[in-house]
Amino acid sequence: MSRSAAPAWIDSTKTAFHTRGGMNELPQTPFIGRAMTRREDRRLLTGRGQYIADFELPRMLHAVLVRSEVAHARIKAIDVARAATAPGVIHVLTGPELARELPPVSDTQLALPSKWTALVQHKFINPQQPLLAYDKVRHVGEAVAVVVAESRYAAEDAAQLVTLDLEPLPAMLDPERALDAGATIVHDKFATNLIGAFSVGKGDADAAITRAPHKLRRRFHHHRYAAMPMECRGVVGFYDARSDAVTIWSATQVVHWVRREAAGVLRLPEARVRCVALDVGGGFGVKGHVYPEDLLIPYLARRLGRPVKWIEDRREHLLCSCHSRDQIHEVEVGFDDSGRILALRDNFVVDCGAWNPIGAGIAYNTAVHLPGPYKIDAIAIAGRIAATNKVPNAPYRGAGRPEATFAMERSMDLVAAELGLEPAAVRLRNMVPAAEMPYAVGMPYRDGQPIVLDGGDYPAALQKALAALGGVEAFRQRQHAARRDGRYLGLGLGCYVEGTGVGPFESALLRIDPSGKIYLASGACPQGQGMETIFSQVVADAWQVDPDNVVIALADTAAIAVGFGTIASRSTVTLSAAIHGATEKLRDKVFAIAANMLECSAADLELRRGHVGIVGVPGAEISLAKVAAAARPGWDNGRPPGVDAGLEEIYYFEPPTVTWSYAVHAAVVEVDIEVGRVRVDNYVIAHDCGVVVNPMLVEGQIVGGAVQGLGGALLEDINFDAAGQPLTTTLADYMLPTACELPPITLIHQHAPSPLNPFGVKGVGEGGPIAPPAVIANAVSDALREFKAEFNRTPVTPQQIDAAVRSRSR
């Protein structure tokens, strides 16, 4: 049917609609302007089953960002004249132009709980990142302009034609020097590079260290590396002029967060902004906050009236997506003759790079996890956050905990070496015993609540891990025998606790579908963890149905209005509890309707095989599908008076505080001192994440995380030259672990259910990478004891090993 032959009953009102050829007029219908399928060309069906028009949806545009090639400079001018007239270019936008129209990324990402701010001495200021730089560039790769064209190729070519007039400034790369008087300032408006500082502790650490029989002071550096997911970031924005609504497809871990920020930037109600995360190829934290591109791309789609796509390539990812770690610790411990730690003091600096997307999150995570599984009566911790001209620093799997564990676990080994004791014996002497659980640490967590380790047996985990390696005494015999043969074996340990399931909340919407299937929607965002499987199991158990009869909708703000997202080892804890809360509410309603239909008391009912039945009466049951039919509004099929129509409930679980997972990692390594190679011969993990929902997926999380931790310990490293130019911009420079580097990994499960949620679960997603850097550093130090080698910075490289051996061989 041609456009002129459209049915007469269609409203003749005309609306502007963008097509490849420009602005066309089409009849206004409920369909026009909506992305009905992924195909660009589609015929529309009327409600009467007739085709009303052949038309062309707006063709996708492609965005390429023009990025700074210097680390620090003032922007004097940006010349886009040649780029704007290049073939296929639709639009070019610069930072100075955009700054007049849109605000920067908001600082709501940095909000601190009021309970925390009341308990912890702190000072924080927030440089707000613009969507495009307009006054200065502050790191290599910072975007200053965007080119939008008909194809990625045209946009890339045109971006090369943009000319930047930049006034170079000294690059500040050392976070400690950045805090000195007279240092080059990254953010002029603050006149300081100190953008965060706090102190926390308990007891009198200074006095305890002064009185201690033994004291030890060391400097530890946990280097800069990054998450490096299989899929880089990407954003597609689509604007529907008919409803003045925007849809954002983003490779993000926080769809509701993106929607909130986008609504603010676009000045739209949140109800008119939808954010969807499709199958995301790995996140690990790097996609766990809002980036400028998440807001810039939908803005361009709305401004241009056409869908716009931006896909990050690997070089961009290394240049622009957030890095992590990069902390320097000055640790002092006081201890007695038995190795008992009497006091701990730590002053540390976090290099947050040019911007600080997550505020105090990483730094305070480090502080509260520093004591680990140990009883220490006097603690003084001071953290500072320094701005530099590097890529911004944000959470990567572990998020502050690997840094804390490295400092604490290296200190434990150094105390043991000072006293001539076994490192395992010193740890056992200091661990919180199972009999004292739950154990109050005496410091506040970052949610403002007191830290209370909620259960577990730390000494047992350590002993089981060592037993799986054959025992300490047997290893020492092997070590001595190997040394006689000219081989260097080492044993390394790493113990940690991890606060998991942090708030503020997570949501669950449960609905009984007319088919009898259970529908679940939530703000949680999967990135390959197997969430659909896990939460199908949880719902299936709660409703006594087959997991195949559970329909899951995650990572889509259209499915549920309010959600939080997937970061910080929290989704299994928070969403399972939200499912439980929604189930309790919805089951009461289901039982009320079923009781009326079965003519019995609701107290006599149970769920069984997709039905509601009378306890002890086989066959006296009614299907969930029939209960759903009875609940439909306007029907009189069994819904009792006073019971509202519909079978849907939403529950928001707000955890009182975190649950505490823990683990012990142990490894045996062999060091080839001729070439500086470290081979991990055996690796054991004894862990406790409470009740395990799906053992296979838990093991996948732990092993995968441990491999990432080994990569950080031995291979992965992001470096810059003196001018702030990154030296690792491809995967040829940035070394990732492969199957060749993987040791055999043995898992040992302990189960101490948490009392803080209905299922007793604890988080597991971030645990794997926490201990390996400490384990490897301790193992290599142990292997090279005769050289008095200490490996107090990561990664442990062949160059470090060679230097340690040579320094003692002279």
Side-chain angles (χ1 to χ4, degrees):
M1 181 179 290
S2 68
R3 290 176 185 166
S4 60
W9 50 265
I10 294 181
D11 187 349
S12 61
T13 303
K14 303 292 186 177
T15 183
F17 195 82
H18 286 274
T19 70
R20 178 172 50 187
M23 299 291 290
N24 287 333
E25 299 261 328
L26 287 176
Q28 174 121 5
T29 77
F31 301 101
I32 289 176
R34 290 163 59 185
M36 297 183 63
T37 71
R38 293 185 182 182
R39 296 180 57 188
E40 292 184 352
D41 300 317
R42 191 71 175 175
R43 307 180 84 192
L44 292 186
L45 278 169
T46 71
R48 300 183 182 181
Q50 297 173 291
Y51 288 102
I52 60 169
D54 283 329
F55 82 106
E56 205 170 73
L57 283 173
R59 290 179 65 85
M60 184 79 73
L61 296 175
H62 298 263
V64 167
L65 292 156
V66 180
R67 299 185 180 278
S68 172
E69 295 183 355
V70 299
H72 197 196
R74 297 195 191 282
I75 299 173
K76 297 180 68 176
I78 304 173
D79 185 352
V80 300
R82 289 194 302 156
T85 58
V89 171
I90 301 298
H91 189 65
V92 182
L93 183 65
T94 69
E97 293 174 291
L98 187 62
R100 293 192 289 268
E101 299 184 31
L102 294 185
V105 179
S106 82
D107 60 359
T108 58
Q109 305 186 67
L110 308 179
L112 297 168
S114 58
K115 291 181 181 179
W116 185 89
T117 57
L119 292 169
V120 176
Q121 294 182 358
H122 68 281
K123 171 191 174 183
F124 291 103
I125 54 180
N126 176 32
Q128 292 179 262
Q129 185 174 8
L131 305 192
L132 295 171
Y134 62 88
D135 58 345
K136 294 204 313 185
V137 291
R138 294 174 172 86
H139 67 86
V140 172
E142 185 164 24
V144 297
V146 60
V147 177
V148 184
E150 295 285 0
S151 71
R152 174 71 178 262
Y153 304 102
E156 292 275 9
D157 289 344
Q160 297 296 317
L161 301 177
V162 176
T163 303
L164 305 182
D165 184 0
L166 303 177
E167 177 188 336
L169 298 169
M172 176 50 65
L173 303 173
D174 185 323
E176 293 178 306
R177 285 184 51 236
L179 302 180
D180 292 343
T184 298
I185 300 298
V186 178
H187 297 281
D188 298 345
K189 66 180 288 187
F190 298 120
T192 179
N193 292 320
L194 180 64
I195 61 173
F198 66 89
S199 60
V200 66
K202 65 174 185 177
D204 189 341
D206 291 341
I209 289 174
T210 300
R211 294 193 303 266
H214 303 278
K215 305 171 186 62
L216 182 145
R217 178 180 289 180
R218 287 295 189 279
R219 178 183 174 90
F220 302 109
H221 181 205
H222 203 114
H223 71 299
R224 175 174 285 242
Y225 50 113
M228 222 53 60
M230 180 172 62
E231 178 191 45
C232 299
R233 293 187 298 119
V235 184
V236 174
F238 179 86
Y239 177 61
D240 179 0
R242 180 186 62 83
S243 58
D244 191 23
V246 169
T247 300
I248 305 165
W249 290 268
S250 176
T252 183
Q253 300 172 219
V254 283
V255 291
H256 287 85
W257 194 346
V258 171
R259 182 191 64 179
R260 183 174 69 246
E261 296 291 333
V265 165
L266 299 175
R267 300 177 180 88
L268 287 172
E270 287 191 20
R272 288 187 177 174
V273 179
R274 179 189 182 192
C275 184
V276 184
L278 303 176
D279 291 334
V280 175
F284 313 121
V286 70
K287 301 173 184 175
H289 63 275
V290 180
Y291 283 86
E293 294 90 349
D294 289 316
L295 312 179
L296 176 62
I297 298 305
Y299 165 77
L300 290 168
R302 190 182 189 210
R303 178 167 176 163
L304 302 176
R306 291 176 63 177
V308 179
K309 176 193 286 188
W310 169 75
I311 301 297
E312 182 183 61
D313 62 32
R314 182 61 66 181
R315 185 172 186 276
E316 277 187 298
H317 186 79
L318 280 155
L319 284 176
C320 315
S321 287
C322 287
H323 300 162
S324 199
R325 312 297 192 250
D326 213 345
Q327 293 189 11
I328 298 170
H329 291 248
E330 297 283 353
V331 175
E332 187 172 11
V333 293
F335 52 100
D336 64 17
D337 294 340
S338 71
R340 172 77 176 151
I341 305 299
L342 305 174
L344 168 67
R345 180 165 54 218
D346 183 14
N347 293 299
F348 70 94
V349 178
V350 180
D351 182 342
C352 78
W355 303 98
N356 192 26
I358 303 296
I362 293 175
Y364 200 70
N365 255 3
T366 296
V368 298
H369 289 87
L370 190 68
Y374 307 115
K375 293 179 63 175
I376 305 174
D377 293 332
I379 299 173
I381 303 170
R384 294 178 294 168
I385 303 171
T388 64
N389 292 119
K390 298 178 187 174
V391 177
N393 189 332
Y396 161 42
R397 203 171 188 179
R401 301 172 184 91
E403 301 93 300
T405 300
F406 186 77
M408 190 72 245
E409 292 301 291
R410 282 296 297 132
S411 297
M412 281 292 179
D413 266 35
L414 291 165
V415 166
E418 187 83 7
L419 297 173
L421 300 174
E422 271 294 341
V426 171
R427 286 172 171 82
L428 288 169
R429 195 156 289 132
N430 286 280
M431 280 180 165
V432 177
E436 294 187 26
M437 293 292 185
Y439 177 77
V441 172
M443 298 194 306
Y445 195 65
R446 60 189 176 97
D447 58 7
Q449 298 296 327
I451 296 174
V452 178
L453 305 177
D454 56 353
D457 192 335
Y458 305 157
L462 176 55
Q463 290 161 343
K464 289 177 182 178
L466 291 170
L469 288 176
V472 173
E473 184 176 345
F475 170 76
R476 293 300 177 203
Q477 293 173 358
R478 286 173 48 213
Q479 185 182 41
H480 292 315
R483 182 65 198 94
R484 288 194 296 271
D485 295 335
R487 296 165 52 227
Y488 296 83
L489 302 184
L491 171 64
L493 299 174
C495 310
Y496 69 86
V497 296
E498 180 195 4
T500 69
V502 69
F505 75 96
E506 193 51 87
S507 55
L509 181 152
L510 281 182
R511 179 189 306 140
I512 310 296
D513 188 79
S515 65
K517 293 181 183 291
I518 314 295
Y519 172 84
L520 167 68
S522 175
C525 299
Q527 308 107 46
Q529 306 96 318
M531 282 190 188
E532 292 87 348
T533 299
I534 291 171
F535 297 123
S536 291
Q537 290 178 261
V538 173
V539 173
D541 280 351
W543 286 91
Q544 294 299 297
V545 299
D546 190 276
D548 288 341
N549 289 324
V550 179
V551 179
I552 304 284
L554 302 175
D556 184 350
T557 60
I560 188 166
V562 180
F564 191 84
T566 296
I567 57 173
S569 299
R570 67 186 303 276
S571 287
T572 300
V573 176
T574 56
L575 181 48
S576 67
I579 291 169
H580 174 82
T583 294
E584 293 287 297
K585 294 168 66 177
L586 187 55
R587 187 169 54 204
D588 289 345
K589 192 171 185 180
V590 168
F591 278 16
I593 296 171
N596 190 58
M597 299 174 75
L598 292 169
E599 300 181 343
C600 67
S601 168
D604 296 330
L605 295 177
E606 65 179 359
L607 292 165
R608 59 194 188 207
R609 303 180 309 280
H611 292 70
V612 182
I614 300 175
V615 177
V617 185
E621 61 187 29
I622 187 168
S623 69
L624 289 174
K626 289 185 177 180
V627 176
R632 292 182 62 182
W635 287 45
D636 186 16
N637 285 348
R639 179 161 51 93
V643 175
D644 293 337
L647 287 181
E648 177 178 302
E649 292 288 350
I650 296 178
Y651 187 85
Y652 300 98
F653 176 66
E654 301 172 86
T657 187
V658 293
T659 61
W660 287 90
S661 300
Y662 64 91
V664 173
H665 291 217
V668 171
V669 307
E670 181 167 352
V671 181
D672 184 339
I673 66 170
E674 297 299 322
V675 295
R677 185 184 65 187
V678 177
R679 188 184 71 207
V680 184
D681 289 339
N682 203 352
Y683 202 96
V684 175
I685 303 171
H687 83 103
D688 186 341
C689 62
V691 173
V692 173
V693 177
N694 186 303
M696 183 177 69
L697 291 175
V698 164
E699 293 188 0
Q701 287 275 25
I702 295 169
V703 172
V707 171
Q708 286 182 306
L710 290 170
L714 291 167
L715 300 171
E716 302 175 49
D717 192 9
I718 292 175
N719 289 296
F720 299 82
D721 70 12
Q725 290 291 332
L727 303 178
T728 41
T729 59
T730 73
L731 293 183
D733 309 309
Y734 188 89
M735 297 181 63
L736 290 167
T738 68
C740 298
E741 286 80 40
L742 302 191
I745 298 178
T746 301
L747 296 184
I748 299 167
H749 301 276
Q750 293 191 172
H751 305 284
S754 173
L756 300 178
N757 60 75
F759 295 103
V761 296
K762 304 175 183 178
V764 72
E766 291 190 277
I770 293 174
V775 171
I776 297 302
N778 283 336
V780 175
S781 297
D782 182 57
L784 303 182
R785 277 187 300 171
E786 71 176 70
F787 300 101
K788 300 189 183 304
E790 292 185 11
F791 293 86
N792 296 332
R793 65 176 294 140
T794 56
V796 176
T797 64
Q799 293 85 351
Q800 285 185 30
I801 292 171
D802 182 66
V805 171
R806 286 178 181 274
S807 67
R808 292 292 173 177
S809 301
R810 291 170 184 157

